[in-house]
């Protein structure tokens, strides 16, 4: 047979390579920023339009390129950064593969303007889909400017694969922050559709972190320093009490390169052992310096994963350095339980003035235990309700009026025929016997055919989830006006996420008066929640969103309802009185899908008399 193997034409090879390097506009930003840093820029400006889909431009004041270099830079495997394979083992630059510009030029409209300091005229090159369109001499400031327009214009499938502008902007902000954090000695700015997202002046690490994550960050940081033969650590960890519900602020940099390392992350967590509340994550910004010979960066095209020669030693050092810092700054728990930790003075602060004691908040406060709790009473509470059921009402059915049809019990048939909306108004005595609580976790109820054991948290989550969904998609919920606007601190990234879901949140009853760079101001909240819960619920929601980026409007709404419902629902371990138990049972079986929690887990199990009989055989 005739030969069939051919070499792929360059532009095809470049397009294939591009798939590895460029997943989205954020990848372009990362590559261009890294090139600017390698070119020793002191000032770098990023301009994007439409989340980078229309334009990504990076302008630097670095060394620039000669005419020949400018042409060469778009060739595949063209790099000024290494000359021989050995150089791979002593990398001091970000780039070395020589494929970023070639890849980007294969899938976008690219315009390069560049001038080295010692030349009078610059070079301008236009290239589209790997093809040089024009090349001219031009007037240009020292340095390089690269615009990348219409990314993936020739690969519609990839273009369609891009997420919403908000999601893509979030990825861009992530990449931008990672690079900016690693290089505080360079000033950076980021503009999106004409508005300034970041303006970061040249500074030190601590100040850069604060500039990015907001003014309050500074006081939450504990410095970490360690210097050994094989590893130099500097940076900061967040004080344990400020640990977040999301992993958003966790950064490792190795030789000024952002990397992901589950293994080192584990070392940090080990250092925090015993100091964190469940499901919270400490912030950290850790800068590690190691001998370039002892790492291999070559194992991933985006260069965010690296291999260390002596991982175990690094682990141990990192953990002990952080432990030491936490101890020294007196944030680790004191073993002497009698001692009030507020009175402990770290030795550095011996001569400082005494701080005002903090107000303690009872974390275990249980609204169900007290009749005179301060929750708002619901508009729909009828006068014949007992006081406690009025409180119950306002907590759990304030969003809309009572469901019209509580008697719709679907498959399950209850022993008492009167399972209706009026159940605990008139027949309280009688109905009191039909449920009880087991282990503060399950509600047990009798059926004609046996017994029903309901997981109280899951059941309540299901109820709230359906109500929230209805509010978001069908009717807007009622909102309670706050007496004083509530100002919550978030980082920019989180504020971007809130913008993305603002409309849905408003449908549930939130009213946002201001969305600033690093805070939001809220003047109204859903009637279902109390003011003190708002921060926790939103943080949790953002964390859920981060770990589960939804693809379309529907699933985003769904995620929002799931997350809020989960956060709002009564926890297991909460004592419920009879009225509350029955309220859950009734409302559960008025749900569309009572048997499954929103995350598809069983809400209840039944045990029939037949099954019981068998057990006694
Ligand atoms: P790499 O960074 O791996 O070398 P790239 O494709 O990103 O590969 O860049 C190719 C070459 O183009 C670089 O090695 C560098 O010499 C040159 N170059 C790219 N961007 C810039 C810039 N902003 N300033 C100066 N030179 C640049
Ligand atoms: Mg590069």
């Amino acid at each position: 047979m005739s030969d069939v193997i051919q070499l792929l034409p360059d532009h095809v090879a470049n397009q294939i390579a591009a798939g590895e390097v460029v997943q989205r506009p954020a990848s372009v930003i990362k590559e261009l920023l890294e090139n600017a840093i390698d070119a020793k820029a002191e000032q770098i400006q990023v301009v994007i339009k439409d989340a980078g889909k229309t334009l990504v431009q990076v302008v630097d004041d670095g060394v620039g390129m000669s005419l020949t270099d400018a042409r060469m830079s778009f060739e595949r495997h063209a790099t000024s950064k290494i000359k021989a394979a050995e150089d791979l083992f002593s990398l001091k630059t970000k780039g070395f593969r020589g494929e970023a510009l070639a890849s980007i030029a294969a899938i976008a409209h690219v315009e390069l303007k560049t001038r080295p300091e010692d030349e009078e005229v610059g070079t301008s090159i236009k290239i589209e889909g790997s093809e040089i369109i024009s090349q001219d001499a031009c007037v240009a400031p020292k340095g390089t400017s690269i615009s990348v327009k219409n990314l993936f214009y020739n690969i519609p499938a990839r273009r369609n694969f891009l997420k919403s502008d908000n999601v893509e902007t979030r990825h861009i902000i992530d990449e931008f922050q990672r690079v900016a954090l690693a290089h505080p000695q360079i000033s950076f700015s980021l503009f999106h559709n004409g508005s300034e997202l970041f303006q970061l002046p040249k500074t030190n690490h601590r100040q850069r972190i604060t500039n990015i994550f907001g003014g309050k960050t500074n006081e939450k940081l504990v410095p970490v320093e360690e210097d050994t033969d094989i590893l130099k650590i500097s940076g900061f960890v967040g004080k344990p009490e400020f640990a977040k519900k999301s992993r958003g602020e966790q950064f490792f940099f190795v030789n000024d390169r952002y990397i992901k390392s589950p293994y080192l992350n584990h070392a940090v967590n080990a250092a925090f052992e015993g100091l964190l509340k469940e499901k919270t994550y400490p912030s950290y910004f850790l800068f590690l310096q190691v001998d370039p010979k002892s790492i291999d960066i070559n194992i991933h095209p985006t260069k965010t994963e690296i291999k260390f020669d002596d991982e175990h030693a690094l682990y141990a050092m990192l953990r002990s350095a952080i432990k030491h810092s936490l101890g020294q700054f007196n944030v680790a728990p004191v073993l002497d339980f009698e001692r009030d930790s507020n009175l402990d003075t770290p030795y550095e602060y011996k001569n400082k003035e005494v701080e005002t004691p903090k107000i303690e908040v009872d974390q275990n406060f249980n609204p169900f235990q007290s009749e005179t709790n301060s929750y708002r009473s619901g508009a729909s509470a009828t006068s014949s309700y007992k006081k406690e059921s009025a409180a119950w009402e306002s907590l759990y059915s304030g969003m809309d009026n009572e469901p019209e049809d509580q008697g719709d019990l679907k498959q399950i048939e209850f022993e008492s025929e009167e399972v209706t909306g009026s159940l605990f108004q008139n027949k309280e005595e009688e109905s009191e016997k039909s449920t009880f609580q087991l282990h503060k976790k399950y509600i047990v109820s009798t059926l004609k055919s046996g017994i029903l054991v309901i997981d109280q948290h899951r059941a309540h989550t299901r109820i709230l989830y359906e109500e929230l969904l209805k509010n978001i998609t069908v009717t807007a919920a009622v909102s309670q006006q706050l007496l004083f606007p509530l100002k919550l601190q978030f980082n920019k990234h989180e504020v971007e996420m809130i913008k993305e879901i603002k409309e849905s949140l408003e449908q549930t009853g939130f009213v946002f008066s201001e969305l600033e760079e690093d805070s939001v101001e809220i003047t109204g909240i859903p009637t279902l929640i109390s003011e003190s819960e708002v921060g926790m619920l939103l943080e949790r929601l953002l964390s859920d969103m981060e770990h589960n980026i939804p693809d379309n409007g529907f699933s985003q709404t769904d995620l929002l309802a799931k997350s809020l419902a989960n956060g709002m629902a009564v926890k297991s371990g909460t004592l419920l009185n009879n009225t509350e138990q029955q309220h859950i049972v009734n409302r559960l079986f008025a749900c569309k899908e009572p048997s499954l929690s929103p995350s598809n887990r069983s809400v209840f199990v039944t045990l029939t008399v037949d099954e019981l009989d068998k057990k006694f055989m």
Side-chain angles (χ1 to χ4, degrees):
M1 78 186 233
S2 58
D3 299 336
V4 291
I5 299 181
Q6 304 176 4
L7 275 178
L8 287 175
D10 265 357
H11 70 276
V12 179
N14 281 338
Q15 256 192 33
I16 294 171
E20 274 193 0
V21 183
V22 184
Q23 276 103 36
R24 48 176 22 117
S27 335
V28 174
I29 302 234
K30 172 175 188 283
E31 294 297 336
L32 297 183
L33 284 176
E34 291 191 349
N35 282 346
I37 290 165
D38 285 345
K40 307 196 168 53
E42 287 177 12
Q43 210 173 352
I44 303 176
Q45 199 181 3
V46 183
V47 179
I48 57 173
K49 271 195 195 137
D50 305 324
K53 294 170 183 171
T54 315
L55 171 74
V56 170
Q57 184 180 20
V58 174
V59 184
D60 70 53
D61 61 353
V63 297
M65 283 179 264
S66 68
L67 171 67
T68 322
D69 282 351
R71 273 299 282 266
M72 271 296 278
S73 68
F74 291 105
E75 295 293 325
R76 205 139 66 96
H77 308 307
T79 180
S80 55
K81 298 169 194 174
I82 58 171
K83 297 202 163 63
E86 302 91 79
D87 297 346
L88 276 175
F89 303 104
S90 54
L91 279 174
K92 298 225 161 51
T93 53
K94 311 254 157 208
F96 56 86
R97 301 171 67 108
E99 52 187 13
L101 289 188
S103 299
I104 294 167
I107 51 170
H109 298 154
V110 177
E111 223 180 302
L112 165 77
K113 273 197 180 140
T114 185
R115 182 174 72 84
E117 190 158 33
D118 56 3
E119 277 170 43
E120 260 164 39
V121 282
T123 306
S124 144
I125 292 179
K126 278 191 192 165
I127 175 166
E128 297 183 355
S130 301
E131 214 174 294
I132 306 260
I133 303 292
S134 69
Q135 177 185 320
D136 301 294
C138 72
V139 181
K142 172 206 166 213
T144 303
S145 156
I146 301 188
S147 324
V148 178
K149 292 181 186 157
N150 310 321
L151 189 68
F152 298 131
Y153 79 99
N154 51 357
I155 318 181
R158 292 299 291 271
R159 199 172 167 86
N160 293 338
F161 178 78
L162 293 177
K163 302 277 165 65
S164 71
D165 281 8
N166 283 313
V167 173
E168 293 300 339
T169 307
R170 219 157 84 203
H171 284 287
I172 288 172
I173 291 176
D174 277 349
E175 290 295 355
F176 177 87
Q177 287 181 344
R178 290 166 183 174
V179 176
L181 282 170
H183 298 277
Q185 74 287 1
I186 300 176
S187 73
F188 290 90
S189 59
L190 173 61
F191 290 83
H192 185 201
N193 292 338
S195 66
E196 176 188 295
L197 291 185
F198 290 92
Q199 185 66 255
L200 305 171
K202 202 171 147 135
T203 177
N204 57 22
H205 273 141
R206 185 170 196 134
Q207 203 50 48
R208 177 59 54 93
I209 295 168
T210 308
N211 287 344
I212 291 180
F213 293 102
K216 291 248 166 67
T217 314
N218 193 22
E219 62 210 56
K220 301 178 187 170
L221 300 177
V222 179
V224 181
E225 298 286 341
E226 180 71 276
D227 203 346
T228 72
D229 285 348
I230 63 166
L231 171 69
K232 188 167 178 297
I233 306 173
S234 66
F236 304 89
V237 294
K239 292 181 184 161
E241 63 265 37
F242 297 113
K244 296 215 146 199
K245 288 247 176 341
S246 82
R247 294 173 210 268
E249 293 177 10
Q250 301 190 326
F251 298 88
F252 282 119
F253 301 89
V254 173
N255 299 354
D256 298 334
R257 186 191 296 279
Y258 169 83
I259 59 138
K260 293 184 179 143
S261 170
Y263 186 69
L264 293 183
N265 176 60
H266 194 271
V268 179
N269 286 333
F272 271 91
E273 198 179 294
L275 297 177
L276 297 172
K277 275 189 251 151
E278 220 188 306
K279 298 223 172 94
T280 62
Y281 304 91
S283 302
Y284 57 80
F285 309 88
L286 293 165
F287 303 90
L288 316 185
Q289 297 289 339
V290 297
D291 184 346
K293 284 194 195 66
S294 74
I295 52 175
D296 180 0
I297 313 167
N298 212 357
I299 58 178
H300 196 270
T302 59
K303 297 171 283 192
T304 48
E305 283 165 36
I306 64 176
K307 215 162 108 7
F308 298 97
D309 279 356
D310 197 353
E311 243 183 2
H312 294 301
L314 298 192
Y315 183 103
M317 284 175 205
L318 188 59
R319 190 180 70 159
S320 92
I322 296 171
K323 266 199 149 152
H324 179 76
S325 291
L326 290 174
Q328 200 184 355
F329 284 83
N330 209 43
V331 284
V334 189
L335 278 178
D336 179 359
F337 291 110
E338 297 301 317
R339 209 159 88 186
D340 180 352
S341 60
N342 280 327
L343 300 177
D344 285 334
T345 316
Y347 50 81
E348 288 95 327
Y349 300 123
K350 272 273 156 59
N351 300 321
K352 271 193 152 182
E353 275 187 55
V354 183
E355 267 186 41
T356 334
K358 291 197 191 82
I359 295 168
E360 296 278 320
V361 177
D362 180 6
Q363 304 281 354
N364 297 320
F365 171 69
N366 174 359
F368 301 122
Q369 269 159 0
S370 151
E371 285 210 334
T372 51
N373 66 56
S374 57
Y375 285 99
R376 304 148 294 287
S377 54
S380 58
T382 354
S383 54
S384 60
Y385 276 52
K386 283 188 175 175
K387 216 174 178 184
E388 58 187 356
S389 53
W392 169 269
E393 266 293 310
S394 63
L395 244 185
Y396 293 93
S397 56
M399 291 180 96
D400 57 20
N401 296 321
E402 277 288 84
E404 303 86 70
D405 186 12
Q406 288 201 341
D408 180 7
L409 295 183
K410 303 279 148 67
Q411 313 93 329
I412 305 273
E413 207 185 332
F414 283 82
E415 186 147 50
S416 155
E417 297 288 49
E418 277 92 13
V419 190
T420 67
S422 64
L423 180 65
F424 28 79
Q425 287 174 34
N426 310 321
K427 305 225 168 188
E428 196 131 73
E429 284 289 281
E430 200 184 292
S431 61
E432 218 140 43
K433 295 180 203 103
S434 72
T435 62
F436 65 91
Q437 198 185 14
L438 189 66
H439 246 77
K440 293 193 202 150
K441 192 173 176 192
Y442 299 107
I443 301 170
V444 183
S445 178
T446 44
L447 297 169
K448 253 181 192 163
S449 59
I451 60 168
L452 177 71
V453 183
I454 300 170
D455 180 312
Q456 68 188 40
H457 173 70
R458 290 186 194 171
H460 198 204
T461 308
R462 160 56 64 183
I463 295 164
L464 294 171
Y465 167 72
E466 292 201 4
E467 280 191 25
L468 284 163
L469 265 191
K470 194 164 114 194
N471 284 327
I472 299 171
T473 52
V474 188
T475 55
V478 194
S479 167
Q480 53 167 324
Q481 278 294 121
L482 295 175
L483 208 50
F484 302 102
L486 183 64
K487 190 147 187 144
L488 297 172
Q489 297 285 332
F490 289 101
N491 63 41
K492 289 181 185 177
H493 171 90
E494 290 167 332
V495 173
E496 287 298 314
M497 296 208 295
I498 291 176
K499 281 186 190 157
E500 197 177 315
I501 50 168
K502 180 164 167 271
E503 225 169 275
S504 301
L505 282 172
E506 284 168 348
Q507 293 280 99
T508 69
F510 281 97
V511 180
F512 295 92
S513 54
E514 263 171 56
L515 288 168
E516 288 186 38
E517 267 200 340
D518 56 1
S519 66
V520 299
E521 197 175 83
I522 297 174
T523 52
I525 58 177
T527 46
L528 284 191
I529 64 179
S530 73
E531 195 172 332
S532 60
E533 290 175 309
V534 174
M536 179 275 285
L537 282 172
L538 286 180
E539 227 185 72
R540 183 190 179 120
L541 173 65
L542 295 177
S543 155
D544 285 347
M545 283 182 55
E546 190 142 63
H547 296 110
N548 184 1
I549 295 171
D551 283 332
N552 54 49
F554 173 72
S555 59
Q556 184 170 75
T557 307
D558 194 65
L559 182 67
L560 186 131
K562 258 185 209 161
S563 174
L564 286 180
N566 200 0
M568 285 154 60
V570 53
K571 307 279 173 295
S572 53
T574 307
L575 189 70
L576 301 178
N577 70 25
N578 238 273
T579 317
E580 291 158 356
Q581 292 166 28
Q582 284 169 24
H583 198 91
I584 287 192
V585 175
N586 292 341
R587 293 180 65 92
L588 174 66
F589 291 101
C591 284
K592 287 198 181 114
E593 181 60 88
S595 60
L596 289 176
S597 76
S599 44
N600 276 328
R601 306 224 290 230
S602 299
V603 172
F604 56 82
V605 293
T606 54
L607 195 56
T608 62
V609 177
D610 278 353
E611 284 163 336
L612 278 172
D613 285 346
K614 275 192 201 127
K615 288 199 191 293
F616 286 103
M617 283 214 296

